[in-house]
Amino acid sequence: METQEPQGSAFVLLDDAGRILFSTGEGIPGILSVLDGARGKKMDDAAVANGTGLVLGGFLRNFAAQNRRYDSTILQGRDRDGAERLFRARMFRVENAGPISGAMSLVDITGSSKAAYQLAMLRRVGDLVQGTLELNKILYLILTCVTAGFAIGFNRAFLFLVDPDSKVLQGRMAVGPRSLEEAGRIWNDLSRSAKGLDTFLNDYETGQAPLEQPLKGLVESLSSPLSDDTEIIVRVLQERRPIVVRRASQDPRITEKFRRIYQAEEFAAVPLLARNEPIGVILVDNIFSGHPITDEHVQLLATFATPASLAVQNAAAYERLQRQMVALKETQDRLIHSERLATIGKLAAHISHEIRNPLVTIGGFARLLQRAPEKVDDVKEKARIIVEEVSRLEEMLSTVMDFAKPAAPQLEPAELNTLVEQVARFIEGEMKGRGILLKRELSPDLPLLLIDFAQVKQVFLNLIQNAADATSGEGIIQLKTYRRGARTIAEVTDNGTGIASEDLQKIFEPFFTKRWGGTGLGLAVSRKIMEDHGGRIEVESAVGKGTTMRLVFVHTKAVPMPGIANA
């Protein structure tokens, strides 16, 4: 840290308009001489004169507005040499003293407080950079701290990061003026606005910090391959230690290209190391002020580089992850698009195949009717066959439409047992006609479910029809409901032929079927309906023993309802 300087002080008497009536003091270069010649002027105007940048207006206005008897604050300013100074200002209200209404004391605390202020600011910046994963904001915050007057205070700062893919030390961001004229304007504006690092940090925390990069082209042009150890910034990474260059024009370590582009005669470079891995470099200089770079400056910069490196590494990893996620999403979208095209192709081929036979049958019988319309009995029989084939077509097209454009579920509270019982009664006659016994085992303590009654009913019909097709002779299909933790379960179990293990992963694929005349869409539609309800279909099967299709529903309203007695 820098050594302490002697403290200077000043004492000023003010009237009720803030004009200087009297001033005295010593040891504050530049500022006291301004105050000495400023009697009759407003304190704020006098302090700003000659570039001292000691802005007191806000402090004085707050003091007057709040009618305080005493107030104290710390202010930033510059002496006539442009060096940053730190002052403690104390304001006292004076009563019954004629034209004197207030007294102010100024104490230059630069030497005694700057080191503590710097460390406090660096700790705050360190906390901020550890609290975000936005890489550009982290880089901007780091460089702002490096260039802010009462943090580290360099004129310019450049940040380079290692690109592990291209093996290049890539210039990512730079902060600072582009010219001496621009530097003068910036310092003058900062002096008049009293905008210190605290303000920059507050702007950052509230999302108001600018991210302009006037030196973007310059920092990018300094990028260098990691294999090029002739460049000083690469050497800093390789040696993993700070390097200070005092006279670049005569230093053999500096390449002609670097001298021509960078132009600073004196600069320092500090490596960014995270977990002992080199991830980048910070390059700093005082090209416009000409202030020498001291060992204390480099030590402070190196101290700050440690937490900054960890934050940059974390944010860079997060940025790479984000890019990979975007790439993965794009790949996924392409796959989905390809799958959709493939499904459309399968759908077209399936429809073409399925409607061909009914259309051939309908066309053949229609032509026969046309040839012999007078044979009434014959006409009735052929018309019956045509109607059956048309019904088959309508059923097939309805199934295809359910798959191609499923309707969104209209959710309403419903009793699952009531739904199962309705389905059982509707299909029981058909099952008896096929020699199949339909049994029910319904739990009486099921909660209400939020479901689309018609859609879930269609799922049960699909599953029962599949179970019936898999049984023969004295087949048994059992419908069962029960609770399992936070889920309500319904099962459709048969004692049929079962499903081969190699087919279990295919049964929910569109158009997969081993049943003659089947569309291969029933289970695909059923699974989509269950997914739209936040549930799922599970399957257990053994060849020669039978299959259990299990519907898993999520509880949405745990209100016990009277069940239907077991049948």
Side-chain angles (χ1 to χ4, degrees), residues 440-460:
R440 278 95 90 188
E441 185 183 336
L442 309 180
S443 174
D445 62 347
L446 300 183
L448 282 175
L449 295 179
L450 204 59
I451 60 175
D452 185 312
F453 199 91
Q455 287 190 2
V456 175
K457 184 176 180 180
Q458 182 62 46
V459 172
F460 275 97

Side-chain angles (χ1 to χ4, degrees), residues 414-421 441-451 460 479-491 551 553-564 566:
E415 298 179 43
L416 185 61
N417 284 344
T418 299
L419 186 152
V420 173
E421 189 64 27
E441 185 183 336
L442 309 180
S443 174
D445 62 347
L446 300 183
L448 282 175
L449 295 179
L450 204 59
I451 60 175
F460 275 97
L479 308 180
K480 182 179 180 180
T481 62
Y482 58 95
R483 296 184 66 167
R484 186 174 69 190
R487 301 287 186 266
T488 293
I489 312 297
E491 292 181 350
L551 305 181
F553 295 90
V554 179
H555 289 179
T556 56
K557 190 174 183 181
V559 180
M561 298 295 293
I564 298 174
N566 293 351

